[in-house]
Amino acid sequence: MTGIGGGVELGAQAARSRALAVLRVRSRALAVALLPAAVAVILLAGGSTGHLVGGGWDAARWAVSVLALLVLAATAAVALVVARARPAVTPTVAVAEESAPDLYRMVRDLADRLDVPAPSAIALTPDCDSWLEDRTHPAHGPPPARDHDDLSDPVGPARRRSAAAPVLVIGSPFLWWMRVGELRAVLAPVVAGTGPAAHPDIAAARRFIRGLDAAVAATSTEGRGPLARAARGGIGGVSRLLLRGCRVHAAEMERGVAAAAAERAQAVDYGLRIVAQEQVGLAYAGWDRLLTRVALPAWRMGRWPSRLDVGVVAALTELSRRDRLAEGFASRLGERPACDLLEEPGLMDEAVSLLAARLFHGGPAETGPDWAPVGWEEYPEEVVDRAWRTDAARLHRVLDTLGVRRAAEDAAPGTDGPTLSRVLDHLTTTPAEAPVPARDPAADADPDATPDPDATPGTAHHATPGTGTATPDDQATSDPQAATASDPSDPQAATTPDLQPLTTPDNQPADAPAAPGNADHSDDGNGTEDDDDDLAGTTPRGAALAAGLSAQLAREEARTQALASGTAPPPPGTTTGPAATGTALWDDRALPLLPLQPPRTGREILTAHITAMVCCAAMDTAGATPGLDWLDGPTLLVDGARRADLALHVRSLVETGDPAPLRAWLSDLGVRPEKPVRLV
């Protein structure tokens, strides 16, 4: 204990010395602001006593007095903005003590063992992290009511706001995946941070830095006139200058606080904390995979899974079944989960799931006809099936726009509907056709260079996903009628299954494609170079089809964004969610705050739509069913078994125009591509 106490004392002393350095920056800034006023007072006093007399001294008194007034006014303006600016607050779900008495009791006992003040409240965040957050600023609302049994230290009413401990923010996946002992061990170093946070110098330094940061954010918006813009620019410049002066000291102060908290927490469950840290990394991996592979497709369909935290447990349990590296993790499930510390874990999971949809996707704050919750048992039908059929319908609409015949002239009656054969026949490359050549870097560098005579004409430019720009040789893709050809009830961007299996050495096949949106994208400033390079390995017909699909998706997304922002009238009978209220503790005007993936490339969009059409044909003609894989998202089930070998055959069709591998796969499953499929 002597060594531990010495380490805590060293970390705390380092943090306090750095906090004093931050406060000295504030004091020096105040001294500089008061210097003209002090000189003016000396000159005025000298004139009144008859010592500093004469025309020169009178002019100096007037000039310095005016300068002092201007500097004082500017200082008051900066101080007012810093004091009134609302510091950023992390979006969380508040946990009242009556809804989680066991959790509050565990945190209180942990604080007692660490001999530090207990957090003033507890909140949940849809992320795999935990931290302390100060919410004592007046803009954050009145402090919660306290009694003798509250988590915070007993203090007088006059000191409650200034002496209030920070809020403990806990990552919700920890509560559902970790056991009670593991959660206690993980929270020990976090709760220990309330001790240094209660020191007056550290608290004052943190308030000063948060105020400057909030002032910079408040002055970053454009003013309505030249005078307002100049005032905002001046205040923002002073705030940035002070922040730069405090940057090093603030970083070292936080390091000292973290070191002191970690040293103090070693006295509590040190051995269990080592094991719990392994669960932190595992929970993060499962949570990230669940959001990108499972939740994101549902959000794009206008559905938000209401039990994300339950889903992460299922995903990590599946991981422990597939991966030898995770063996033994499932045996922990017999112990008491940390979510049992909540009175109603289902309601908390639902609230966190809705918040996650807002932060990572930008959904509305409340449910509605176009934004409804979905349970895991309903996911295959409500999300997977609808997503595949929506993408298949979009694929055929673009084929109609390109003028592709629905059926051959000698086709049997009743086969002129949306068939898979239509897609395969259109993408099949004849011997006279060649894949789109790769771009010549030398030609890009020299605008006067002679084009390659072997290049296929009409394939040099393609639509960029998200821009709505169509190919110049296919005017139909930029036809305004294409936007009206789509069903207004279709969701903005239905996704197709990501059939990539678990990325472990024992389970990942050689044909596993890259996850959509996870490819390495470079940007040349306008985004066109990436898409041209991406489509360079496809066939001419595939490139044109990908361009049309990208343009169609861009139009649908633009229409949806216009409805969400209120710049376009919504269709009859639809709602776009409530507007952001002024009482929100965080700025929700720029959602999503944490987008999960970059826009998909043209190749990914084309592959996803073809895969969706194949899945629809398999479901309608071969008895396949949509399914949910906890680690890979939407999947195709044939006789109850997951088929993960479709990606290789679709990629062969997209890249080479050879449908033989895919046709053999379809024949093996008994899929009849000439039969029409049901679309939305």
Side-chain angles (χ1 to χ4, degrees), residues 662-675:
L662 182 57
R663 287 187 182 275
W665 187 87
L666 295 173
S667 176
D668 181 63
L669 264 65
V671 179
R672 303 184 60 181
E674 74 280 0
K675 290 291 186 180

Side-chain angles (χ1 to χ4, degrees), residues 248-429:
V248 175
H249 300 303
E252 293 299 328
M253 178 185 69
E254 297 302 335
R255 289 192 184 97
V257 170
E263 194 72 24
R264 182 180 294 273
Q266 289 185 3
V268 179
D269 300 332
Y270 179 73
L272 185 59
R273 185 147 52 95
I274 298 177
V275 178
Q277 288 301 324
E278 299 178 359
Q279 303 304 320
V280 171
L282 189 65
Y284 182 86
W287 181 250
D288 178 73
R289 190 136 182 159
L290 182 76
L291 292 181
T292 56
R293 304 293 180 87
V294 179
L296 186 59
W299 294 338
R300 287 173 174 167
M301 292 298 300
R303 298 290 186 269
W304 55 277
S306 58
R307 294 294 185 269
L308 283 180
D309 291 304
V310 172
V312 77
V313 176
L316 292 174
T317 304
E318 179 67 13
L319 175 63
S320 65
R321 185 184 67 83
R322 296 188 195 180
D323 193 353
R324 290 199 308 265
L325 298 177
E327 287 182 357
F329 290 152
S331 61
R332 307 164 39 261
L333 301 181
E335 304 174 13
R336 184 190 183 192
C339 63
D340 281 355
L341 300 174
L342 304 174
E343 290 293 310
E344 296 181 345
L347 294 180
M348 284 294 174
D349 194 1
E350 184 174 353
V352 172
S353 300
L354 181 56
L355 179 59
R358 299 204 69 199
L359 296 181
F360 300 120
H361 183 68
E366 296 181 0
T367 60
D370 298 328
W371 187 246
V374 60
W376 294 125
E377 66 280 357
E378 305 166 349
Y379 187 95
E381 291 296 330
E382 291 292 327
V383 177
V384 181
D385 184 82
R386 288 187 59 225
W388 288 345
R389 298 189 187 279
T390 301
D391 277 4
R394 185 183 299 108
L395 176 62
H396 282 279
R397 287 198 300 269
V398 174
L399 289 175
D400 292 338
T401 305
L402 294 174
V404 179
R405 187 184 299 274
R406 279 189 171 264
E409 295 181 357
D410 56 349
T415 60
D416 58 345
T419 63
L420 178 58
S421 295
R422 182 192 188 196
V423 180
L424 299 179
D425 294 341
H426 175 69
L427 293 176
T428 300
T429 301

Side-chain angles (χ1 to χ4, degrees), residues 634-656:
T635 187
L636 183 67
L637 301 179
V638 179
D639 295 332
R642 176 172 174 261
R643 295 301 299 258
D645 55 347
L646 176 59
L648 176 64
H649 309 309
V650 172
R651 189 168 63 208
S652 176
L653 175 65
V654 170
E655 295 179 353
T656 66

Side-chain angles (χ1 to χ4, degrees), residues 19-265:
L20 291 176
V22 171
L23 296 179
R24 280 196 295 270
V25 172
R26 184 183 64 177
S27 300
R28 290 166 185 166
L30 181 60
V32 171
L34 294 178
L35 182 59
V39 175
V41 170
I42 293 174
L43 293 176
L44 291 174
S48 63
T49 57
H51 290 82
L52 304 177
V53 295
W57 289 109
D58 292 338
R61 269 189 290 272
W62 278 103
V64 174
S65 298
V66 172
L67 177 62
L69 291 176
L70 293 177
V71 172
L72 289 176
T75 303
V78 173
L80 183 63
V81 171
V82 171
R84 293 177 59 89
R86 183 176 64 180
V89 175
T90 306
T92 57
V93 175
V95 180
E97 184 170 2
E98 56 269 17
S99 63
D102 292 341
L103 180 60
Y104 272 74
R105 189 177 302 110
M106 185 194 74
V107 173
R108 183 185 298 113
D109 294 341
L110 186 59
D112 290 341
R113 289 187 60 183
L114 294 171
D115 194 22
V116 296
S120 59
I122 299 176
L124 299 182
T125 178
D127 197 2
C128 292
D129 199 2
S130 297
W131 65 89
L132 295 172
E133 187 166 286
D134 186 4
R135 297 184 179 180
T136 58
H137 193 275
H140 298 157
R146 298 175 173 87
D147 52 29
H148 67 280
D149 196 34
D150 192 69
L151 284 179
S152 60
D153 287 341
V155 294
R159 298 179 53 205
R160 281 181 178 175
R161 182 177 296 276
S162 60
V167 175
L168 174 62
V169 181
I170 306 175
S172 64
F174 294 164
L175 284 174
W176 270 260
W177 174 244
M178 290 184 174
R179 309 298 99 180
V180 174
E182 295 171 347
L183 180 66
R184 179 188 181 94
V186 168
L187 294 181
V190 181
V191 175
T194 60
H199 192 273
D201 294 335
I202 296 177
R206 285 177 167 177
R207 284 196 301 269
F208 178 59
I209 295 172
R210 284 196 304 269
L212 292 177
D213 183 72
V216 170
T219 56
S220 61
T221 57
E222 292 291 337
R224 295 185 178 180
L227 185 59
R229 285 195 296 269
R232 289 177 179 271
I235 296 174
V238 173
S239 301
R240 292 185 183 92
L241 179 63
L242 293 176
L243 274 178
R244 284 194 295 268
C246 301
R247 180 182 305 167
V248 175
H249 300 303
E252 293 299 328
M253 178 185 69
E254 297 302 335
R255 289 192 184 97
V257 170
E263 194 72 24
R264 182 180 294 273

